[in-house]
Structure formats: structure tokens, C-alpha cells
Amino acid sequence: MTSSPLDRITSHQAVMFITNFIFGAGILTLPRTTTEKIKTPDSWIAIIVSGVIITLVAIIILKLCQRYPNETFYQFNQKLLGKWVGSLLSLTVICYYIALSAYEVRTMAETTRLFLLQGTPTWAIMMPFLWIGLYLVQGGVNAIARLLEIIFPITVLFLLMVMFLGIELFEVDNLRPVLGSGVKPVLKGLTTSSLSFAGFEILLFIYMFMKEKTKVTKVPLLGVGIPFIFYTITVVIVVGTMSVDAVVTQTWPVLTFIRSFEIKGLLFERFDSLILVIWIMQIFSTYVIALFIATLGLNQIFSKNSSAFIYSLMPLIYLVSMIPKNINEVFKMSDVIGNFALYLFFIMPMFLFVISKVKERKYEKM
Amino acid sequence: MKKCKPILRNSFVSILLLFLLPGCWSSKSIEDLNIAVGTAVDKSKDGKIRSTLQYVIPNAIGNSNNKLPQQKPYINVSATGNSLEPIGWETTLRREGFISGAHEKAVIIGQNLAREEPIREITDLFFRDIDIRGSTLVFISKGAAARTLESKEPEVIPAIRLVEIAEQELTTKALRHISLMKIWGKSNSQTSFLLQLIDIKKGEIELDGAAVIKGRTNKMIGILNKEEIEGINWITGEGKSGAVKAYQKESDKPTYYQIQSMKSKIKPHVIGGRISFDVKIESEGRVAEYWNPHFKPAFKDKTIKQIENATEKEVRRLVVNTTQKMQKELGVDVGGFGNQLRIKYPNVWKSVKGNWDEKFSELPISYDVSITIKDYGMIGSKKN
């Protein structure tokens, strides 16, 4: 089952975990969400700066985990904060992951309903998605890791290819002037651009499963670094093609961008359906990982290895995902979840890190 | 739990699989679709909007061997209403099938309507619709837009032909094609821009001039003719090919310079709060036609220099002429000057962008044209 100590993943698979978890539905709206706050073409600078900050936080998380090599966050937080506070924190985190997986499922359904299966009811789109996820999570961390290894190259290569096919429409002038209004707008946009990296905290939960435990700083570096590069490319190309004034008005800027060119003479002329179909895999991986961590948490808090948890999570996720009534509420849900994640996983790991240091000193004195 | 018999289990699975057989949940067969490739939007006589949709008839394409009288490969359906959405539904009362916008290629707006309603509102439906793509091109028609969707030639779908002509952009007398997505950015930043103007000549379409859309109102305010478009293309450096007159005196007889590449750089200057522009235009090309009544051999460098000078003079005349029209007559900036100012002097731009078009009308612009003739084809000289 999920928390079996025999289930081990390599560092390469750990990188896949971080990268695939960060990638998700967010990239489809990324150029808009970052540019909205900044209002200048400098959103790509904000992405770079926040990428560097997030990498540092991810390394702190790694250092924290290395103090408790055979325990997940759910277990070691009880040692640091006491049983009750720790369990409460764990439950909050579990709620967050349930909400996150619900959000991913909903966004997938929204985009699919809009662009691919216009007449299909939402529940019919969600059901197979939910059930396949359930099946995969029951296979444990190793099964997920192997799936991620398959998904990652396909999705990323296609995204990159499609982005560069539209290069003909790219106008450098849309990205200039660089820092024309100074550094201030970039700082303003840092929170939203950091939001896009939500998911870096996954190391708190999967470190326990890693085969190698030392000299693995490259794991958070690569895991955050890959999305960081792809985010920068996406924002640069989409904003450069559409201009700031157009990007902020688009509901799904990346899809608008892909729909604004046709390549004649290549196997396909249009790439929007293709990229959406492929990106659904990426949304699926985020959903599966979130579901896995939530189940893992329930198992570990209640010290039970029962599949009852995961089966009861299914209807819960479905219900949560149906809460937003329209697309605006979906976007609001994304904001709430993202903000929550940022405060939770930005501040908490540092806090825990300090506590663990203090406790260590105490023991040394004794 | 007792184990199911394999035969029972297998037949159960097979029955479940039966449900997959009908195929895609929301599939629509292509025969039932009205595939719209073009839309013409006009002002109707009673002040409402009249929209004409051009549907492709797939059966009629490529059936030229038939002895039967040729059926046109398209059909135009039109209706009148307050805006485009109710008109679309109106047409479904008259013709069977869903309207599919996934292959929409061109939107043509009548001049009368474009002068009264903002382009952004007229085309709102096209931007918003999920099927219609951002690569759809937008045109303004001199006369009734609905007429541009007709052709006398068999086997021609007028909307597709129009887009093909516009996209090849062979000559500097045509505007660089501009798609919905690019218009969206310009409309939202209140930048003035140009749209290709089309006209009907002897029953067939022709690209003829450009419609000037003013940034603030987003409505059409004037027309640039073909020569003025040439000026615009030289200012923006966006032309690909074309010809320029390369003689000054009538006695010299026609000589023409063929453009092989063109480049331009607009440089803004702000000195003590005063804005001015320098435009550097460079082009390389060849002598394409040289009647040469004076038998000056092209083998001589001096002759080439003369032709280059004459071309430079002509290009300068073209750009100055267009600038005059932009600044004095229309009072808009459609040459991308404001954009360069925004990039080089973002702070100055912030203070002038509110009334940039008015401000632009008074700014000094200087041009520096340099033409290089690389070769002159197969004839170097003529004998008397």
C-alpha cells in the first residue's frame, strides 16, 4: 500500500514528481495572471525572480526533510509541534490537497468542455478522470513515478514545439521596454508569479520514498528549474505575440495564442486540440499526486492502511469540484487555493526548520 | 466472494463495450454542418446590421467533369438584426444545419458601418467565439461588403480567394495582413491602425487602399490610397517585394527598381521635452525594367548611382506624402511611431499617450533613405 517502506523512487523520479506537480492547469492562464498585476511587459522577469526564490525555499525544505529521513511531513511535524498541533496542521494540509485535486479536475473539465467535447456533460468528463486516478494511486508511489516518467517528455516536448511554431507572430517590440517603469511593478507581481510554482513543497512528502538521501540538492534544483524554464518561455512567447493589452483580456491566453496561427504543410495545421489533449495528461499528473498525498496523510495520521480513505475521497473531490458555479468562481477558487498554498508552504517550512534547529541545540546542551 | 464464471464476466464486459460503439458523444456529421468561411457585415437600410455568411458546399468542389450545369461551391445567406448573434440564429430558420465557425477565414465590414460603430464591437462575436480562430483576417469594404462575397468565376470561393491574395502580400501596394488577434491588442491599447480596404472592380474583388481606424474611437475615419500604403510600408519596413519608380524626368522614360528587401528603423528623440523622430530606411534590390533612351550602360557604376538616387528621391516622396496625410489630414499615427517612443522613452510616453494622435500631428520627422542596387538582370547595355 501507499506508505509501504519498500516502495522506493530514484532521484530522477523525485525530480519528475516536483516538475509534474508544479505544472498543472495554471500554465494555461499564466501569462494573464502574471501580467494583470504587473501591467508592463516585464512579467517574465517576475517569473525568473520568483523561480529563484522558490528554488531556495525548496532547498530549505530538503534540508528540513534530511533531518527526518524516514518520515514524511505528517509524521515529523508531530515531533516538532506536538501531537495535537501537528495533527491539526496535517489535516489542514490534507484539506488543501483535496481542494487542489478538485480544482485541477474542474479546470480540466472546463477547458475540455469548451474546446474539445462541447456537448459532453461535465460529470461525464470528470468521472473517468477521477476513477483512473484512483486506480493509479492504489498502485503506490512507484506506479505514479513511472507514469510521470512517461507523461513528462511527451507533454513538455509538444508544448515546446507548439510554442515555437507560433514564433512567426512574435514581435520583440511587445516585450520592450525592459523595466521601463522600474522595478516596482515587477515586485508587485512577485506573489502571483510565485503562485505558479505552488507544488514545490511535494518534497516534504516524497523525500521518505527516495532511495538516495544525501547529495540530492540537485533534486529541488532541477525539479523547480524545469518548470521555471518552461514558464519563462511560455510567458515570453505569449506576451510577445499578443502584447500586454491583449493578454490581460484573454480568458485562456495560451490557448488563444495557439489558436492564432496555422502551419501549412506540416502533418497538422492546427494545434489547439492536440496541445489541450496532451496537457490534460499534465493536469492528470497534478491531480494524481495531490490525491496520493492526501491519502497518504490520512493513512499516516490514523495509522491505518485502508483503501476506505481513498474511496471516500472520490465523492468528496467530486463535490468540491462542483462548488464553483461558473468560470469566474473557478478562477476565484484557483486564487484562494494558490494564496493558501503560498502562505502555508512558504512560511511553514522555514518555521519548522527553525524549530528543529532550536530543539537540536537543546538536546546538545542536555 | 465467489468468483464469477469467465464467460459471464466476459459477456458483461462486452455488453458494456457496446455503449462505446455509437462513437463520440457530441459528434456532428460534416454533411449537417454549414461551414462558414467568410462573413460580411453591412449597415442595412433601416439602420440595423445586415450580415452575410458564406457557406462552403463541399459537394460542388472539384466536380468539374460533370456535364451538369456548374453549381457554385458556395452559398451566401444573409439576415438583418441588431447584432451578429441574433442574425446567426435568424439564418437557421431559412437553412438547415448548424453554423460552424471553425473554418472562418475572413470578416469583411462595410465602410458605412465601420465609420459608425467601433471595430472592436462589430467583431466582438468573432473574438469571443470559441470556434473562430484568432488567425481570421479582417477587411473593410468600400461599397457593400456583401458584394465582395460574390464571384462570377466558377470554382472560386470568394472569401478564401480574398484571404489568399491578402496573405501573399506580394507588393508594397497592399497592406501587411492583420489578423483578429493583432487587432485585439491594438484596439485595447487605443492605438490607431490600418485595415486592408477592398473594392469591387468588374465584379471581382481587388485590394485597394487602406481604411484608417482611429485609436480613441476605434472607428474608421479615412482612407489611404495605394500610393500612401506604399509610404506606410516603407516607413514600417514591412514590405516584402514590389517595384518603385526609378526615374525623375519624363524624358528618361520608365525605369523600375524591384525591391528585394527593405528595412526601416524609427528612432525617437526627446530633447528638452521636445519629441522628434528619425527614420532610417534601407533597401536592396535590382533594376527590373530600364527603357533607357539615352543608352547609358548599366555596366557603368555611374549609371547605377543615378538610378539609385532617383529611387531614393521617389521613396522619400512616398513617405513624406504619407506622413503629410497622417499628420495634416487625418491626424493619426498609423506608422508605429508611438510604439517606438513607448519603448525608448517609457516615461515620456506615459505623459503623451492620452492624446498621442493629436500630439503626433505636430512632431518633426526626418527621413534618411538609402537604396542599394545589387544587379540589373541580364541586360547590361543597349546599342544605338
Side-chain angles (χ1 to χ4, degrees), chain A residues 18-33:
Chain A
I18 303 178
T19 305
N20 282 289
F21 197 44
I22 292 179
F23 277 138
I27 199 170
L28 299 176
T29 50
L30 180 69
R32 170 168 57 86
T33 49

Side-chain angles (χ1 to χ4, degrees), chain A residues 197-321:
Chain A
F197 287 99
F200 61 89
E201 77 284 351
I202 180 79
L203 212 55
L204 284 172
F205 309 96
I206 57 160
Y207 182 74
M208 181 190 110
F209 298 107
M210 281 166 67
K211 260 184 209 147
E212 298 152 62
K213 308 257 170 178
T214 47
K215 289 186 183 162
V216 282
T217 323
K218 63 172 192 281
V219 172
L221 275 182
L222 275 175
V224 181
I226 295 170
F228 162 69
I229 291 167
F230 280 85
Y231 279 171
T232 315
I233 292 175
T234 310
V235 169
V236 163
I237 293 187
V238 173
V239 176
T241 306
M242 310 218 300
S243 83
V244 171
D245 295 293
V247 161
V248 294
T249 64
Q250 294 297 323
T251 323
W252 308 99
V254 172
L255 294 175
T256 310
F257 163 71
I258 295 166
R259 292 165 59 78
S260 55
F261 60 87
E262 279 131 39
I263 307 291
K264 292 186 179 113
L266 212 64
L267 190 57
F268 301 106
E269 200 175 291
R270 304 175 165 192
F271 293 90
D272 34 334
S273 314
L274 185 79
I275 198 72
L276 209 58
V277 168
I278 282 168
W279 207 252
I280 282 176
M281 291 196 235
Q282 204 51 261
I283 300 181
F284 177 74
S285 69
T286 308
Y287 154 72
V288 162
I289 297 173
L291 181 63
F292 170 72
I293 299 170
T295 335
L296 181 77
L298 288 174
N299 282 340
Q300 289 187 335
I301 293 178
F302 298 104
S303 317
K304 261 183 197 162
N305 265 346
S306 131
S307 48
F309 284 127
I310 182 167
Y311 280 102
S312 53
L313 279 184
M314 278 295 109
L316 187 64
I317 289 175
Y318 180 75
L319 288 178
V320 175
S321 72

Side-chain angles (χ1 to χ4, degrees), chain A residues 7-72:
Chain A
D7 236 1
R8 286 280 181 256
I9 55 172
T10 62
S11 352
H12 172 70
Q13 285 172 325
V15 172
M16 292 291 105
F17 257 97
I18 303 178
T19 305
N20 282 289
F21 197 44
I22 292 179
F23 277 138
I27 199 170
L28 299 176
T29 50
L30 180 69
R32 170 168 57 86
T33 49
T34 48
T35 312
E36 250 169 3
K37 285 268 161 56
I38 298 175
K39 293 195 182 79
T40 66
D42 297 327
S43 37
W44 58 278
I45 298 177
I47 294 275
I48 292 179
V49 175
S50 55
V52 172
I53 298 175
I54 296 290
T55 314
L56 291 178
V57 179
I59 290 176
I60 291 180
I61 289 180
L62 179 76
K63 294 281 173 245
L64 176 65
C65 289
Q66 278 174 333
R67 290 168 174 271
Y68 307 95
N70 288 316
E71 283 170 2
T72 70

Side-chain angles (χ1 to χ4, degrees), chain A residues 114 176 249 259 262 270, chain B residues 102 130 133 135 182 184 342:
Chain A
L114 269 178
R176 291 160 72 198
T249 64
R259 292 165 59 78
E262 279 131 39
R270 304 175 165 192
Chain B
I130 282 159
R133 302 173 66 84
S135 53
K182 296 279 178 193
W184 188 242
R342 174 182 70 81

Side-chain angles (χ1 to χ4, degrees), chain B residues 55-246:
Chain B
Y55 300 145
V56 175
I57 300 176
N59 297 345
I61 301 175
N63 263 357
S64 50
N65 294 341
N66 274 353
K67 298 252 161 62
L68 298 164
Q70 190 71 47
Q71 189 195 2
K72 280 189 175 172
Y74 64 89
I75 183 165
N76 293 345
V77 179
S78 48
T80 312
N82 286 331
S83 65
L84 298 179
E85 179 70 8
I87 296 175
W89 293 108
E90 191 84 15
T91 60
T92 59
L93 299 175
R94 242 172 285 156
R95 201 181 151 75
E96 72 284 5
F98 301 95
I99 304 169
S100 158
H103 292 271
E104 181 84 14
K105 293 271 189 293
V107 176
I108 304 135
I109 303 166
Q111 192 185 164
N112 291 341
L113 187 65
R115 284 183 188 266
E116 281 176 17
E117 291 289 336
I119 300 295
R120 188 162 62 155
E121 308 334 327
I122 303 172
T123 48
D124 179 89
L125 179 94
F126 302 100
F127 288 122
R128 204 176 288 276
D129 193 278
I130 282 159
D131 284 337
I132 296 171
R133 302 173 66 84
S135 53
T136 308
L137 302 191
V138 180
F139 302 91
I140 304 282
S141 142
K142 258 188 189 164
R147 283 191 54 213
T148 59
L149 289 181
E150 282 160 17
S151 170
K152 281 178 204 150
E153 285 177 52
E155 301 212 13
V156 164
I157 301 167
I160 291 179
R161 163 179 271 185
L162 176 60
V163 169
E164 273 171 11
I165 299 174
E167 278 184 346
Q168 65 185 9
E169 23 191 70
L170 284 185
T171 145
T172 45
K173 286 181 195 297
L175 212 58
R176 201 175 166 195
H177 71 272
I178 176 165
S179 64
L180 270 180
M181 195 193 64
K182 296 279 178 193
I183 295 174
W184 188 242
K186 291 196 161 130
S187 295
N188 279 302
S189 59
Q190 303 209 324
T191 314
S192 302
F193 60 95
L194 297 173
L195 286 177
Q196 182 69 54
L197 198 63
I198 52 177
D199 199 6
I200 304 284
K201 298 264 165 77
K202 288 181 187 145
E204 299 296 323
I205 45 176
E206 186 188 295
L207 306 190
D208 184 12
V212 181
I213 315 290
K214 194 174 169 73
R216 182 114 33 80
T217 57
N218 209 230
K219 291 176 190 168
M220 175 174 168
I221 55 158
I223 287 176
L224 296 187
N225 62 24
K226 281 185 220 164
E227 195 181 271
E228 285 148 3
I229 292 187
E230 282 185 83
I232 284 289
N233 277 328
W234 280 107
I235 292 172
T236 57
E238 278 178 342
K240 273 189 204 156
S241 50
V244 183
K245 194 176 109 174

Side-chain angles (χ1 to χ4, degrees), chain A residues 15-224:
Chain A
V15 172
M16 292 291 105
F17 257 97
I18 303 178
T19 305
N20 282 289
F21 197 44
I22 292 179
F23 277 138
I27 199 170
L28 299 176
T29 50
L30 180 69
R32 170 168 57 86
T33 49
T34 48
T35 312
E36 250 169 3
K37 285 268 161 56
I38 298 175
K39 293 195 182 79
T40 66
D42 297 327
S43 37
W44 58 278
I45 298 177
I47 294 275
I48 292 179
V49 175
S50 55
V52 172
I53 298 175
I54 296 290
T55 314
L56 291 178
V57 179
I59 290 176
I60 291 180
I61 289 180
L62 179 76
K63 294 281 173 245
L64 176 65
C65 289
Q66 278 174 333
R67 290 168 174 271
Y68 307 95
N70 288 316
E71 283 170 2
T72 70
F73 168 76
Y74 296 120
Q75 290 161 325
F76 70 67
N77 70 11
Q78 297 193 359
K79 282 190 187 160
L80 289 172
L81 301 169
K83 193 161 192 299
W84 287 106
V85 182
S87 305
L88 204 67
L89 186 63
S90 299
L91 279 178
T92 322
V93 169
I94 291 169
C95 286
Y96 163 72
Y97 281 111
I98 293 172
L100 178 68
S101 42
Y103 162 72
E104 294 290 335
V105 174
R106 178 61 185 265
T107 320
M108 185 279 303
E110 284 294 333
T111 45
T112 311
R113 204 171 48 80
L114 269 178
F115 296 100
L116 295 173
L117 308 169
Q118 298 192 345
T120 316
T122 312
W123 62 264
I125 301 174
M126 283 183 179
M127 274 311 158
F129 205 79
L130 287 170
W131 284 110
I132 297 170
L134 178 135
Y135 176 64
L136 183 62
V137 170
Q138 281 187 318
V141 68
N142 228 313
I144 299 177
R146 268 176 278 146
L147 181 84
L148 295 181
E149 278 178 309
I150 301 172
I151 287 181
F152 176 74
I154 304 176
T155 50
V156 156
L157 278 181
F158 268 99
L159 180 79
L160 209 60
M161 186 190 84
V162 171
M163 281 293 154
F164 280 102
L165 281 177
I167 206 82
E168 201 198 336
L169 295 167
F170 181 80
E171 288 172 34
V172 177
D173 280 358
N174 285 335
L175 286 175
R176 291 160 72 198
V178 176
L179 293 178
S181 323
V183 200
K184 233 180 170 181
V186 176
L187 294 178
K188 244 194 242 163
L190 271 189
T191 29
T192 35
S193 56
S194 304
L195 279 187
S196 57
F197 287 99
F200 61 89
E201 77 284 351
I202 180 79
L203 212 55
L204 284 172
F205 309 96
I206 57 160
Y207 182 74
M208 181 190 110
F209 298 107
M210 281 166 67
K211 260 184 209 147
E212 298 152 62
K213 308 257 170 178
T214 47
K215 289 186 183 162
V216 282
T217 323
K218 63 172 192 281
V219 172
L221 275 182
L222 275 175
V224 181

